[in-house]
Amino acid sequence: MNSFWNKNLTLFEQRFPALVQQLGLSSHSECDFDFWELLPSKSLELTAKENGTFLHSSYAPKREAETLVKQSRTSETYGAVFFSMGLGYAPLKWAELYPKDTIIIVEPDPDYFIAALKYNDFTALFKQKSLIIALQAPSQSVIQLIESTTGFNHAAFIQNAAQTSHNKNYFESIHALIERNKQKVKINNSTLEKFSSLWLNNSCRNLKYFAELDGVNIFKDRAPKDMPAVLISAGPSLHEILPHLKKIKERAVIIAVDTALRALLKAGVEPDFIILVDPQYYAYRHIAGLKSPSSILITESAAYPAVYRFECKKIVLTSSLFPLGQYFEKRLGTKGQLGAGGSVSTTAWEFARFAGFTDIYCTGLDLGYPLLQSHIKGSTFEEKTHASSQKLHPAETALSTSLFQAGKKLDRDYEGKTLFTDDKMKMFAWWFESRTQQFKEVHSYSLSKSSLYIPGFSYKSVQSLLDLPVQEKKRIEFLNSPSEAAEDAIKAFDKVFIEFQDGIQSLYDTAVKGIRTAEKALLTPQQSVQYTQELQKIDNSIMTSQFKDIASLVFPTEQKLNSIMEQTVLPDDPVKAGFIKSKIIYGLIKDAIQQYQKKF
């Protein structure tokens, strides 16, 4: 009986008893596998081949693993993700050198992980403080694991092509998802830096609506049975459905994004729902000057304040994506969380799913440039372009610039024909694809063959909608879902607001105390131990404050904070440098709180 096997299996069972049971492992039945050829290396350490290719160095596998690990870890690395692991040399070395890090082992075929237990002592790995073993995990679940543990910017991703060759497609799909998520994180950070002050300003001005307005919760899972939703975006293919929209409205619930509203009203159709969640002024411009008395507007608490003056049947809120709104929601009642995919069309799809629609037909969701156009004729985007057209800079130049600027790519539509698109639109397509995998009970269709093909979506003709029975009564009943706006919430608002003001003032005072303590520490270095202890108490007070997340909206992003620190001249003495960094951070917290206080 293999001694490694017995020891490793005992440790494995102690750490992950449910997983060992699920795999049907037993210390009395050592598993045999024939996919590896085991042989000694030049250093006499065990190495292996698969299909004639070495999984590890044929000279010194352990030295190879140590070099790889040390090269992969940086000061910003909190953990490592290993895509398969061969005999386990690399994750074992990582556990030995960095026992406080998170280690994630991803393996679609459990036999490959189990086989490694026979050939190495895995004690260090199973003793790792934070260890995740993802066996047979769907690629999307792996992404969620990484996002919720190390994050994409703080993980080392380690892969050996020979070790992942047994399931190349699986690992390639995960790598593609990781790159997309890294790009998403980068975009989100850039967006936060650019628009955080705007979001703060809008949120502060719209706080009262948390008490006054219903949330999308009133529509949750209330969709009429056997009735589809039609999601209307503003892509060029929207023109295909406009002539039929009045009849379709008798058979389906119409959910339109803000950019499509103008075109719909010109066609004589008021959508059942309008989605506007972008806080920027230009998003309000899509509905400015329009009215849609029979429509329900779904918006966010951080929307441009004039949005709330739009003439419609009713305005309802989604749960806020921002800390200030979340604080008030927690005390006044939640509104209903809709997943965010970075586009108003993703929010519209989320609302349809949230409401319980299992068939979602999409039109204008082109995610590309069919007919070499970016938006439907008559959309706010195109009309604005024509309004600003000049003799030396005509509208055609502006419209074509958006098409031929850098970053454009070629892809395929639903007929397999070539279509211009770009990285941003492909990211939205990936979001829709991932949601179809997550919610398999929801069936999504494109009403245009000329849109970017989204895996998980299929094409259906407009006629398929027109062939459905008229269900006007069901649609109206759904739209008249009873209000849940509570009188108690309106009465409680003033009390919650005062508690909020007191809370951020307390956090402000703590930050000021931190600044003064750090300054004292720099002036009296002989008392550095005492001041370090005081700063630790201040840090703990800030970290446990329920208001720290509110300040985080306008606190510099990690990337921006790193840039600030890099531009600061720090002394060689690490203790003094630490006090200076602490003073900078407390100052930034103080400034963030002041931005809120100036709004009230």
Side-chain angles (χ1 to χ4, degrees):
M1 189 70 69
N2 186 302
S3 59
F4 283 150
W5 171 262
N6 289 332
K7 183 178 181 180
N8 288 334
L9 192 57
T10 299
L11 293 169
F12 191 13
E13 189 169 19
Q14 289 172 353
R15 186 72 183 265
F16 303 104
L19 181 55
V20 170
Q21 185 177 5
Q22 180 183 333
L23 294 171
L25 297 178
S26 169
S27 59
H28 302 295
S29 56
E30 183 177 337
C31 299
D32 291 319
F33 305 99
D34 61 1
F35 39 74
W36 289 337
E37 176 190 352
L38 283 303
L39 61 162
S41 64
K42 298 292 184 182
S43 61
L44 301 183
E45 297 157 353
L46 197 63
T47 188
K49 284 184 176 182
E50 183 172 6
N51 297 323
T53 302
F54 276 103
L55 305 183
H56 305 281
S57 167
S58 62
Y59 288 88
K62 288 185 179 180
R63 189 172 64 195
E64 174 193 52
E66 182 173 1
T67 300
L68 172 65
V69 167
K70 288 182 176 179
Q71 288 178 344
S72 300
R73 197 181 191 279
T74 69
S75 60
E76 299 298 320
T77 304
Y78 304 153
V81 182
F82 292 90
F83 298 109
S84 201
M85 63 175 188
L87 300 181
Y89 288 115
L92 280 169
K93 180 54 67 174
W94 197 288
E96 177 189 326
L97 295 176
Y98 312 110
K100 294 182 180 180
D101 283 2
T102 295
I103 293 178
I104 301 174
I105 296 174
V106 180
E107 178 53 73
D109 187 338
D111 286 350
Y112 280 78
F113 178 79
I114 296 168
L117 301 181
K118 298 173 62 175
Y119 305 114
N120 255 319
D121 183 349
F122 276 68
T123 301
L125 189 65
F126 286 123
K127 296 294 184 182
Q128 188 77 2
K129 185 176 181 180
S130 179
L131 172 65
I132 298 171
I133 299 175
L135 303 182
Q136 293 181 306
S139 55
Q140 194 62 44
S141 298
V142 173
I143 296 302
Q144 291 169 358
L145 275 175
I146 297 169
E147 192 168 26
S148 62
T149 52
T150 60
F152 297 101
N153 291 332
H154 297 291
F157 296 98
I158 297 178
Q159 175 172 323
N160 178 318
Q163 294 172 11
T164 57
S165 62
H166 59 281
N167 202 327
K168 185 179 178 181
N169 290 339
Y170 174 84
F171 290 109
E172 285 182 347
S173 70
I174 290 180
H175 272 288
L177 290 174
I178 288 171
E179 289 307 312
R180 289 170 183 171
N181 275 275
K182 283 183 176 180
Q183 187 177 0
K184 181 185 75 173
V185 170
K186 184 177 180 180
I187 290 172
N188 288 346
N189 285 340
S190 298
T191 303
L192 180 60
E193 288 183 11
K194 187 174 182 180
F195 297 113
S196 58
S197 295
L198 172 65
W199 293 335
L200 180 146
N201 181 64
N202 291 352
S203 296
C204 290
R205 293 175 65 182
N206 297 333
L207 281 178
K208 63 180 180 179
Y209 296 117
F210 280 113
E212 297 175 2
L213 298 179
D214 275 317
V216 292
N217 274 336
I218 64 173
F219 299 106
K220 183 171 175 56
D221 297 326
R222 295 178 63 93
K225 189 177 180 181
D226 301 325
M227 194 174 193
V230 176
L231 189 165
I232 300 183
S233 302
S237 68
L238 174 55
H239 77 277
E240 299 172 13
I241 200 175
L242 286 178
H244 311 284
L245 206 50
K246 288 182 180 179
K247 290 185 177 180
I248 290 174
K249 189 176 177 180
E250 298 172 349
R251 296 161 169 83
V253 170
I254 307 297
I255 304 172
V257 304
D258 50 358
T259 48
L261 179 61
R262 194 173 299 271
L264 265 63
L265 295 180
K266 282 185 176 182
V269 177
E270 293 182 9
D272 297 312
F273 293 95
I274 304 164
I275 313 291
L276 191 159
V277 290
D278 191 321
Q280 298 177 74
Y281 171 72
Y282 88 83
Y284 161 67
R285 290 291 301 155
H286 297 144
I287 64 171
L290 304 177
K291 59 182 180 179
S292 190
S294 67
S295 301
I296 297 170
L297 175 65
I298 296 176
T299 192
E300 222 270 4
S301 63
Y304 192 76
V307 167
Y308 289 90
R309 297 195 293 271
F310 178 68
E311 187 176 334
C312 59
K313 177 181 177 180
K314 185 173 186 172
I315 298 177
V316 297
L317 293 175
T318 69
S319 284
S320 179
L321 298 174
F322 308 107
L324 177 60
Q326 291 166 358
Y327 174 85
F328 277 81
E329 259 191 274
K330 195 176 291 184
R331 286 148 184 80
L332 300 173
T334 58
K335 299 303 180 183
Q337 187 72 52
L338 301 182
S343 160
V344 66
S345 293
T346 60
T347 304
W349 188 95
E350 271 292 296
F351 172 67
R353 180 199 63 79
F354 178 88
F357 290 98
T358 55
D359 289 304
I360 304 175
Y361 291 76
C362 302
T363 182
L365 186 66
D366 295 320
L367 301 181
Y369 302 88
L371 305 177
L372 300 184
Q373 296 173 4
S374 61
H375 290 71
I376 186 174
K377 299 288 186 182
S379 67
T380 305
F381 172 83
E382 191 189 54
E383 290 204 348
K384 180 181 177 182
T385 305
H386 282 292
S388 59
S389 174
Q390 301 174 11
K391 183 175 182 180
L392 298 179
H393 189 74
E396 289 76 9
T397 300
L399 293 169
S400 63
T401 298
S402 69
L403 175 60
F404 294 110
Q405 62 186 346
K408 293 298 175 284
K409 298 181 179 298
L410 291 175
D411 212 303
R412 300 289 174 180
D413 63 16
Y414 285 87
E415 290 186 303
K417 295 179 180 178
T418 299
L419 176 72
F420 273 109
T421 184
D422 58 37
D423 288 333
K424 186 175 182 180
M425 292 187 184
K426 286 176 72 69
M427 182 176 291
F428 295 147
W430 162 72
W431 183 92
F432 283 111
E433 177 187 352
S434 66
R435 298 307 262 181
T436 61
Q437 293 175 359
Q438 186 174 354
F439 300 101
K440 295 185 183 299
E441 71 280 7
V442 179
H443 307 108
S444 299
Y445 309 101
S446 172
L447 291 169
S448 173
K449 295 179 181 178
S450 62
S451 302
L452 177 68
Y453 171 69
I454 301 172
F457 279 47
S458 56
Y459 166 75
K460 278 202 174 182
S461 66
V462 173
Q463 190 60 47
S464 65
L465 277 174
L466 297 174
D467 289 340
L468 295 175
V470 172
Q471 302 187 73
E472 186 71 7
K473 184 178 178 182
K474 283 186 179 182
R475 187 178 65 84
I476 292 174
E477 287 177 356
F478 169 65
L479 296 176
N480 291 329
S481 294
S483 172
E484 294 179 354
E487 191 68 29
D488 291 345
I490 297 174
K491 293 178 181 178
F493 178 81
D494 289 340
K495 180 182 178 182
V496 173
F497 184 72
I498 291 172
E499 290 174 351
F500 162 72
Q501 288 183 306
D502 291 344
I504 61 172
Q505 180 62 48
S506 175
L507 186 59
Y508 176 89
D509 294 341
T510 303
V512 170
K513 182 179 179 182
I515 293 171
R516 291 172 179 169
T517 303
E519 289 174 341
K520 291 177 183 178
L522 290 167
L523 292 172
T524 53
Q526 65 273 18
Q527 299 181 43
S528 61
V529 174
Q530 173 192 335
Y531 288 124
T532 297
Q533 292 173 345
E534 289 184 26
L535 290 175
Q536 287 174 344
K537 291 179 182 178
I538 291 170
D539 289 346
N540 185 61
S541 177
I542 291 173
M543 292 305 297
T544 56
S545 170
Q546 61 181 316
F547 298 97
K548 74 176 189 304
D549 291 334
I550 293 175
S552 70
L553 175 62
V554 283
F555 191 80
T557 62
E558 181 180 3
Q559 181 178 348
K560 181 67 173 178
L561 184 59
N562 289 338
S563 175
I564 291 172
M565 293 301 182
E566 288 172 1
Q567 294 173 23
T568 302
V569 179
L570 297 172
D572 294 333
D573 183 343
V575 176
K576 287 185 178 180
F579 288 138
I580 292 173
K581 288 181 179 179
S582 294
K583 181 183 175 182
I584 292 171
I585 291 173
Y586 296 135
L588 292 170
I589 294 173
K590 171 177 162 285
D591 293 344
I593 294 298
Q594 280 185 314
Q595 289 191 55
Y596 280 95
Q597 292 174 325
K598 289 176 182 177
K599 303 298 178 185
F600 303 115

